[in-house]
Amino acid sequence: YPKLKLSFSHDAERGEGVFTLEQTQVDKDKGIGTFHFDLELTIENSEGNWSEHRLEVSGAHHSLVVAMSAAPQQVVVDPRSCVLHRLDFEPGEDMLRRAVRAEHNPHLAGRIQAAITLCSSRARDNIRAVAKAWDSEPHWGVRMVMARALGDCGAQEAALVLAEKLGSESDPRIMRYITEACAKYRDPQVAAALRTWLAGSELPYL
């Protein structure tokens, strides 16, 4: 499957946004080539309006120029999850913190990617942005990904967020992933939260 690295820059003078895409899985020595597919980009402009753009990908390097007078608020890659891929895209913390929130981003794939990228940064403010987005996230699958990303993060702040969610999350489908994420930490607050949760009268089946 394609491994994609995407970068973005905005040129205010020209009124353009430039996307540069690379297929990083290419390895001639191992016989690994490029894939040919269409990649959709969905952009929220500075006024809150969304537009869709399609990039035909075949070679290792591609670019896409989009007219935009001001920097966008969000960029969502493959919003309908049409392409099996791994994505490396860090458009900036402001965009990511907006993209992770369901009230600002209607695209489930975009919220998932934003949550993973924010947690991987290990920055306290980014982890707290994921925790805040968790509270208003309507889809249990996104919260499941958030739990896994917090578990993989390895940061102290992520452990504290998991301890909080262990006591506040009510969907039984999520609890398996929260507890598995908690198991990756050796933290007294996580241990205390687990003991309290395990002492509850109604534990979920899983």
Side-chain angles (χ1 to χ4, degrees), residues 125-143:
D125 289 345
N126 289 343
I127 291 171
R128 278 293 154 189
V130 173
K132 189 173 183 180
W134 181 312
D135 295 333
S136 58
E137 175 54 55
H139 197 288
W140 74 272
V142 178
R143 301 201 304 278

PDB file of all heavy atoms in Angstrom, residues 125-143:
ATOM      1  N   ASP A 125      -0.280  20.404  25.413  1.00  0.00           N
ATOM      2  CA  ASP A 125      -1.442  21.114  24.882  1.00  0.00           C
ATOM      3  C   ASP A 125      -2.132  20.308  23.788  1.00  0.00           C
ATOM      4  O   ASP A 125      -3.367  20.353  23.657  1.00  0.00           O
ATOM      5  CB  ASP A 125      -1.023  22.481  24.337  1.00  0.00           C
ATOM      6  CG  ASP A 125      -0.635  23.452  25.444  1.00  0.00           C
ATOM      7  OD1 ASP A 125      -0.962  23.166  26.622  1.00  0.00           O
ATOM      8  OD2 ASP A 125      -0.009  24.482  25.144  1.00  0.00           O
ATOM      9  N   ASN A 126      -1.376  19.574  22.992  1.00  0.00           N
ATOM     10  CA  ASN A 126      -1.980  18.757  21.939  1.00  0.00           C
ATOM     11  C   ASN A 126      -2.743  17.570  22.520  1.00  0.00           C
ATOM     12  O   ASN A 126      -3.823  17.210  22.037  1.00  0.00           O
ATOM     13  CB  ASN A 126      -0.902  18.258  20.975  1.00  0.00           C
ATOM     14  CG  ASN A 126      -0.349  19.368  20.105  1.00  0.00           C
ATOM     15  OD1 ASN A 126      -0.951  20.427  19.978  1.00  0.00           O
ATOM     16  ND2 ASN A 126       0.802  19.126  19.501  1.00  0.00           N
ATOM     17  N   ILE A 127      -2.191  16.973  23.561  1.00  0.00           N
ATOM     18  CA  ILE A 127      -2.875  15.856  24.211  1.00  0.00           C
ATOM     19  C   ILE A 127      -4.166  16.341  24.875  1.00  0.00           C
ATOM     20  O   ILE A 127      -5.205  15.673  24.819  1.00  0.00           O
ATOM     21  CB  ILE A 127      -1.935  15.198  25.243  1.00  0.00           C
ATOM     22  CG1 ILE A 127      -0.791  14.495  24.511  1.00  0.00           C
ATOM     23  CG2 ILE A 127      -2.699  14.206  26.117  1.00  0.00           C
ATOM     24  CD1 ILE A 127       0.298  13.992  25.419  1.00  0.00           C
ATOM     25  N   ARG A 128      -4.115  17.544  25.473  1.00  0.00           N
ATOM     26  CA  ARG A 128      -5.320  18.102  26.076  1.00  0.00           C
ATOM     27  C   ARG A 128      -6.365  18.455  25.014  1.00  0.00           C
ATOM     28  O   ARG A 128      -7.566  18.384  25.266  1.00  0.00           O
ATOM     29  CB  ARG A 128      -4.948  19.332  26.894  1.00  0.00           C
ATOM     30  CG  ARG A 128      -4.434  19.003  28.281  1.00  0.00           C
ATOM     31  CD  ARG A 128      -5.534  18.402  29.139  1.00  0.00           C
ATOM     32  NE  ARG A 128      -5.011  17.542  30.205  1.00  0.00           N
ATOM     33  CZ  ARG A 128      -5.760  16.770  30.963  1.00  0.00           C
ATOM     34  NH1 ARG A 128      -7.066  16.719  30.762  1.00  0.00           N
ATOM     35  NH2 ARG A 128      -5.228  16.010  31.898  1.00  0.00           N
ATOM     36  N   ALA A 129      -5.909  18.822  23.819  1.00  0.00           N
ATOM     37  CA  ALA A 129      -6.843  19.094  22.727  1.00  0.00           C
ATOM     38  C   ALA A 129      -7.587  17.822  22.337  1.00  0.00           C
ATOM     39  O   ALA A 129      -8.798  17.859  22.045  1.00  0.00           O
ATOM     40  CB  ALA A 129      -6.096  19.670  21.522  1.00  0.00           C
ATOM     41  N   VAL A 130      -6.898  16.697  22.344  1.00  0.00           N
ATOM     42  CA  VAL A 130      -7.547  15.416  22.058  1.00  0.00           C
ATOM     43  C   VAL A 130      -8.536  15.062  23.164  1.00  0.00           C
ATOM     44  O   VAL A 130      -9.651  14.594  22.906  1.00  0.00           O
ATOM     45  CB  VAL A 130      -6.490  14.302  21.896  1.00  0.00           C
ATOM     46  CG1 VAL A 130      -7.162  12.938  21.766  1.00  0.00           C
ATOM     47  CG2 VAL A 130      -5.614  14.581  20.682  1.00  0.00           C
ATOM     48  N   ALA A 131      -8.144  15.312  24.422  1.00  0.00           N
ATOM     49  CA  ALA A 131      -9.030  15.024  25.549  1.00  0.00           C
ATOM     50  C   ALA A 131     -10.310  15.846  25.463  1.00  0.00           C
ATOM     51  O   ALA A 131     -11.408  15.337  25.732  1.00  0.00           O
ATOM     52  CB  ALA A 131      -8.306  15.311  26.865  1.00  0.00           C
ATOM     53  N   LYS A 132     -10.186  17.106  25.079  1.00  0.00           N
ATOM     54  CA  LYS A 132     -11.359  17.967  24.950  1.00  0.00           C
ATOM     55  C   LYS A 132     -12.238  17.518  23.795  1.00  0.00           C
ATOM     56  O   LYS A 132     -13.470  17.513  23.893  1.00  0.00           O
ATOM     57  CB  LYS A 132     -10.915  19.418  24.755  1.00  0.00           C
ATOM     58  CG  LYS A 132     -12.053  20.422  24.825  1.00  0.00           C
ATOM     59  CD  LYS A 132     -11.521  21.850  24.803  1.00  0.00           C
ATOM     60  CE  LYS A 132     -12.675  22.854  24.944  1.00  0.00           C
ATOM     61  NZ  LYS A 132     -12.165  24.256  24.922  1.00  0.00           N
ATOM     62  N   ALA A 133     -11.606  17.116  22.692  1.00  0.00           N
ATOM     63  CA  ALA A 133     -12.375  16.643  21.541  1.00  0.00           C
ATOM     64  C   ALA A 133     -13.103  15.349  21.861  1.00  0.00           C
ATOM     65  O   ALA A 133     -14.196  15.094  21.343  1.00  0.00           O
ATOM     66  CB  ALA A 133     -11.435  16.450  20.352  1.00  0.00           C
ATOM     67  N   TRP A 134     -12.521  14.520  22.714  1.00  0.00           N
ATOM     68  CA  TRP A 134     -13.133  13.255  23.122  1.00  0.00           C
ATOM     69  C   TRP A 134     -14.532  13.515  23.690  1.00  0.00           C
ATOM     70  O   TRP A 134     -15.477  12.775  23.402  1.00  0.00           O
ATOM     71  CB  TRP A 134     -12.237  12.584  24.156  1.00  0.00           C
ATOM     72  CG  TRP A 134     -12.683  11.251  24.682  1.00  0.00           C
ATOM     73  CD1 TRP A 134     -13.920  10.908  25.143  1.00  0.00           C
ATOM     74  CD2 TRP A 134     -11.872  10.080  24.808  1.00  0.00           C
ATOM     75  NE1 TRP A 134     -13.939   9.610  25.561  1.00  0.00           N
ATOM     76  CE2 TRP A 134     -12.699   9.081  25.366  1.00  0.00           C
ATOM     77  CE3 TRP A 134     -10.544   9.799  24.529  1.00  0.00           C
ATOM     78  CZ2 TRP A 134     -12.217   7.788  25.642  1.00  0.00           C
ATOM     79  CZ3 TRP A 134     -10.064   8.519  24.807  1.00  0.00           C
ATOM     80  CH2 TRP A 134     -10.894   7.532  25.351  1.00  0.00           C
ATOM     81  N   ASP A 135     -14.673  14.549  24.501  1.00  0.00           N
ATOM     82  CA  ASP A 135     -15.926  14.807  25.208  1.00  0.00           C
ATOM     83  C   ASP A 135     -17.082  15.118  24.259  1.00  0.00           C
ATOM     84  O   ASP A 135     -18.244  14.886  24.607  1.00  0.00           O
ATOM     85  CB  ASP A 135     -15.740  15.972  26.184  1.00  0.00           C
ATOM     86  CG  ASP A 135     -14.753  15.644  27.296  1.00  0.00           C
ATOM     87  OD1 ASP A 135     -14.611  14.451  27.624  1.00  0.00           O
ATOM     88  OD2 ASP A 135     -14.128  16.577  27.828  1.00  0.00           O
ATOM     89  N   SER A 136     -16.782  15.644  23.067  1.00  0.00           N
ATOM     90  CA  SER A 136     -17.851  15.987  22.126  1.00  0.00           C
ATOM     91  C   SER A 136     -17.848  15.086  20.892  1.00  0.00           C
ATOM     92  O   SER A 136     -18.594  15.337  19.948  1.00  0.00           O
ATOM     93  CB  SER A 136     -17.702  17.449  21.681  1.00  0.00           C
ATOM     94  OG  SER A 136     -16.436  17.675  21.077  1.00  0.00           O
ATOM     95  N   GLU A 137     -17.031  14.035  20.915  1.00  0.00           N
ATOM     96  CA  GLU A 137     -16.950  13.131  19.765  1.00  0.00           C
ATOM     97  C   GLU A 137     -18.123  12.144  19.768  1.00  0.00           C
ATOM     98  O   GLU A 137     -18.264  11.347  20.684  1.00  0.00           O
ATOM     99  CB  GLU A 137     -15.623  12.354  19.801  1.00  0.00           C
ATOM    100  CG  GLU A 137     -15.478  11.298  18.729  1.00  0.00           C
ATOM    101  CD  GLU A 137     -15.707  11.834  17.322  1.00  0.00           C
ATOM    102  OE1 GLU A 137     -15.033  12.795  16.925  1.00  0.00           O
ATOM    103  OE2 GLU A 137     -16.575  11.264  16.624  1.00  0.00           O
ATOM    104  N   PRO A 138     -18.976  12.170  18.723  1.00  0.00           N
ATOM    105  CA  PRO A 138     -20.159  11.314  18.711  1.00  0.00           C
ATOM    106  C   PRO A 138     -19.895   9.870  18.284  1.00  0.00           C
ATOM    107  O   PRO A 138     -20.719   8.994  18.569  1.00  0.00           O
ATOM    108  CB  PRO A 138     -21.083  12.004  17.697  1.00  0.00           C
ATOM    109  CG  PRO A 138     -20.138  12.664  16.735  1.00  0.00           C
ATOM    110  CD  PRO A 138     -18.953  13.100  17.575  1.00  0.00           C
ATOM    111  N   HIS A 139     -18.790   9.599  17.614  1.00  0.00           N
ATOM    112  CA  HIS A 139     -18.554   8.270  17.064  1.00  0.00           C
ATOM    113  C   HIS A 139     -17.616   7.472  17.965  1.00  0.00           C
ATOM    114  O   HIS A 139     -16.496   7.896  18.235  1.00  0.00           O
ATOM    115  CB  HIS A 139     -17.957   8.384  15.661  1.00  0.00           C
ATOM    116  CG  HIS A 139     -18.042   7.112  14.865  1.00  0.00           C
ATOM    117  ND1 HIS A 139     -17.264   6.007  15.131  1.00  0.00           N
ATOM    118  CD2 HIS A 139     -18.835   6.771  13.822  1.00  0.00           C
ATOM    119  CE1 HIS A 139     -17.564   5.036  14.286  1.00  0.00           C
ATOM    120  NE2 HIS A 139     -18.507   5.481  13.470  1.00  0.00           N
ATOM    121  N   TRP A 140     -18.072   6.316  18.403  1.00  0.00           N
ATOM    122  CA  TRP A 140     -17.276   5.520  19.336  1.00  0.00           C
ATOM    123  C   TRP A 140     -15.965   5.059  18.706  1.00  0.00           C
ATOM    124  O   TRP A 140     -14.955   4.904  19.404  1.00  0.00           O
ATOM    125  CB  TRP A 140     -18.075   4.321  19.836  1.00  0.00           C
ATOM    126  CG  TRP A 140     -18.234   3.216  18.831  1.00  0.00           C
ATOM    127  CD1 TRP A 140     -19.219   3.088  17.904  1.00  0.00           C
ATOM    128  CD2 TRP A 140     -17.365   2.091  18.649  1.00  0.00           C
ATOM    129  NE1 TRP A 140     -19.025   1.955  17.148  1.00  0.00           N
ATOM    130  CE2 TRP A 140     -17.890   1.329  17.598  1.00  0.00           C
ATOM    131  CE3 TRP A 140     -16.195   1.659  19.274  1.00  0.00           C
ATOM    132  CZ2 TRP A 140     -17.293   0.148  17.145  1.00  0.00           C
ATOM    133  CZ3 TRP A 140     -15.596   0.494  18.827  1.00  0.00           C
ATOM    134  CH2 TRP A 140     -16.141  -0.251  17.783  1.00  0.00           C
ATOM    135  N   GLY A 141     -15.963   4.850  17.377  1.00  0.00           N
ATOM    136  CA  GLY A 141     -14.756   4.400  16.713  1.00  0.00           C
ATOM    137  C   GLY A 141     -13.641   5.426  16.777  1.00  0.00           C
ATOM    138  O   GLY A 141     -12.462   5.070  16.893  1.00  0.00           O
ATOM    139  N   VAL A 142     -13.991   6.702  16.716  1.00  0.00           N
ATOM    140  CA  VAL A 142     -12.974   7.748  16.825  1.00  0.00           C
ATOM    141  C   VAL A 142     -12.432   7.785  18.243  1.00  0.00           C
ATOM    142  O   VAL A 142     -11.220   7.939  18.451  1.00  0.00           O
ATOM    143  CB  VAL A 142     -13.553   9.120  16.427  1.00  0.00           C
ATOM    144  CG1 VAL A 142     -12.500  10.211  16.582  1.00  0.00           C
ATOM    145  CG2 VAL A 142     -14.063   9.092  14.990  1.00  0.00           C
ATOM    146  N   ARG A 143     -13.305   7.630  19.235  1.00  0.00           N
ATOM    147  CA  ARG A 143     -12.836   7.607  20.620  1.00  0.00           C
ATOM    148  C   ARG A 143     -11.939   6.391  20.872  1.00  0.00           C
ATOM    149  O   ARG A 143     -10.997   6.462  21.662  1.00  0.00           O
ATOM    150  CB  ARG A 143     -14.021   7.632  21.587  1.00  0.00           C
ATOM    151  CG  ARG A 143     -14.916   8.859  21.417  1.00  0.00           C
ATOM    152  CD  ARG A 143     -15.763   9.182  22.629  1.00  0.00           C
ATOM    153  NE  ARG A 143     -16.607   8.109  23.068  1.00  0.00           N
ATOM    154  CZ  ARG A 143     -17.806   7.796  22.551  1.00  0.00           C
ATOM    155  NH1 ARG A 143     -18.284   8.494  21.523  1.00  0.00           N
ATOM    156  NH2 ARG A 143     -18.527   6.813  23.044  1.00  0.00           N
TER     157      ARG A 143
END
